[in-house]
Amino acid sequence: MKRPKIDHAAATLELRASGLEPVDPYPGVTSKPFFVRCTQPRCEGHTEPFPAYLSAVRKLAEKGRVGCRHCNEQNRANRRRSDLIRLGHVLPVVEIPDVKTAVRSWCLRCWNICEPGPRLDNIRNGKQGGCDHCGGKRRLPDSVARERARAWGYVPDPNIPYTSDATKWPGQCLAKRHHCEPVLNSHKRQGPCGACAENGFKPHRPALLYLVTKAALVAAKIGICEDSPKNRRLDEHRFNGWTTIQTMRFAVGSDARKVEDIIVRSWRARLLLPVLDNGYGYSGYSETVSLREVQVSEIWSEVCVVTKRVMAAAG
């Protein structure tokens, strides 16, 4: 059954629902193009109107996509960049034109430059690792890995074999015999034991789990910080445009970290990708999710359910 014909006012409502606004009068039929512009001020389509078909806009809306071709291309580019980071564990240093082009990248595991670099389609289908040097995970002989761990400041559990420098390896710190689970490729950035660190999050101290949102990115972010009057993490987020929605206190930070980890892994298992800023990552972006995909109330409900499960398991 065909849809009834609509006038300019009705067409304008459909366009605005898809992130567009008309520049020319609606021609009266969906198969004729007319000029529109994107409603996003930072989009190229906002300053340079382009022709669009209302029928095409409707088809994109059915797929959950906006009507602006520039925004759709940017979203695809963001997805390509996010997938290369998430699946290949490499940071692209150039734009990614398509999934079949080799992308010059910086390995986040062994810190080498990959040139010409990996192809995203090969990474997605499992035919290629992200890094030509280490395949995304540097591997050492078990004895060498244990020597490096001890030199760093902790003793790995003798009953747990070494897997790779990107895998958590439980053990005890040499300073105070705290239990810790570091990964070896972090040795250049921090110490092995979070409890012994002079600064930063302490897993054995009271912690705060928080949910913040940012309208400009249409994103929500979950995070954890020390529950202390001296902690300025939420102030930093507010300065960067984030709004605090909810917070939850934990007696020990390790429980807060478990809840955060479960929530983020749940998002990624449902293919809810982190939100990039104009195609680029930023501090804490890996703990974000698009509010176009999930509502704030759903996120916090899931946090409450996971928290009850974690606390019950902790006894």
Side-chain angles (χ1 to χ4, degrees), residues 162-299:
Y162 166 78
T163 303
S164 74
D165 77 331
T167 303
K168 290 183 178 180
W169 199 8
Q172 287 186 333
C173 73
L174 291 172
K176 296 184 179 180
R177 295 297 175 181
H178 290 133
H179 174 78
C180 55
E181 296 183 356
V183 293
L184 282 182
N185 66 8
S186 297
H187 73 279
K188 292 184 179 180
R189 303 190 300 273
Q190 62 191 45
C193 181
C196 291
E198 294 182 1
N199 301 302
F201 183 80
K202 305 292 190 302
H204 64 292
R205 292 182 182 177
L208 201 67
L209 182 142
Y210 57 83
L211 176 65
V212 294
T213 63
K214 190 170 185 177
L217 297 177
V218 196
K221 169 178 167 56
I222 190 171
I224 54 176
C225 63
E226 186 178 0
D227 186 8
S228 165
K230 297 180 180 180
N231 192 283
R232 312 303 299 171
R233 178 65 60 83
L234 292 179
D235 292 332
E236 293 172 2
H237 283 317
R238 183 166 56 252
F239 179 79
N240 290 319
W242 296 87
T243 301
T244 303
I245 303 299
Q246 294 280 7
T247 60
M248 182 180 294
R249 284 184 161 85
F250 288 79
V252 292
S254 57
D255 290 336
R257 177 171 284 165
K258 288 177 184 177
V259 173
E260 179 196 41
D261 183 58
I262 291 171
I263 295 296
V264 174
R265 284 193 286 109
S266 171
W267 290 343
R268 305 307 172 237
R270 287 141 53 192
L271 302 182
L272 302 178
L273 299 179
V275 180
L276 299 174
D277 186 0
N278 202 26
Y280 294 91
Y282 48 90
S283 178
Y285 85 96
S286 59
E287 290 85 40
T288 61
V289 68
S290 173
L291 289 176
R292 294 189 177 96
E293 304 287 348
V294 62
Q295 297 181 2
V296 170
S297 58
E298 296 176 20
I299 296 174

Side-chain angles (χ1 to χ4, degrees), residues 78-149:
N78 291 350
R79 180 67 64 85
R80 291 194 291 267
R81 184 179 178 85
S82 176
D83 282 356
L84 198 63
I85 296 171
R86 181 175 59 90
L87 300 176
H89 303 294
V90 294
L91 182 67
V93 297
V94 296
E95 291 187 5
I96 308 174
D98 54 64
V99 299
K100 295 185 178 297
T101 299
V103 181
R104 189 170 185 266
S105 306
W106 180 37
C107 179
L108 298 175
R109 302 298 193 197
C110 68
W111 316 109
N112 286 307
I113 290 292
C114 309
E115 195 166 6
R119 286 175 32 172
L120 182 55
D121 59 345
N122 285 341
I123 290 178
R124 283 175 173 171
N125 60 30
K127 293 182 178 179
Q128 181 179 10
C131 176
D132 295 334
H133 303 279
C134 68
K137 294 182 179 181
R138 189 178 183 186
R139 296 173 179 84
L140 302 168
D142 188 271
S143 59
V144 174
R146 291 184 184 276
E147 289 177 7
R148 293 194 178 186

Side-chain angles (χ1 to χ4, degrees), residues 148-159:
R148 293 194 178 186
R150 180 175 285 275
W152 187 19
Y154 90 106
V155 179
D157 190 318
N159 297 319

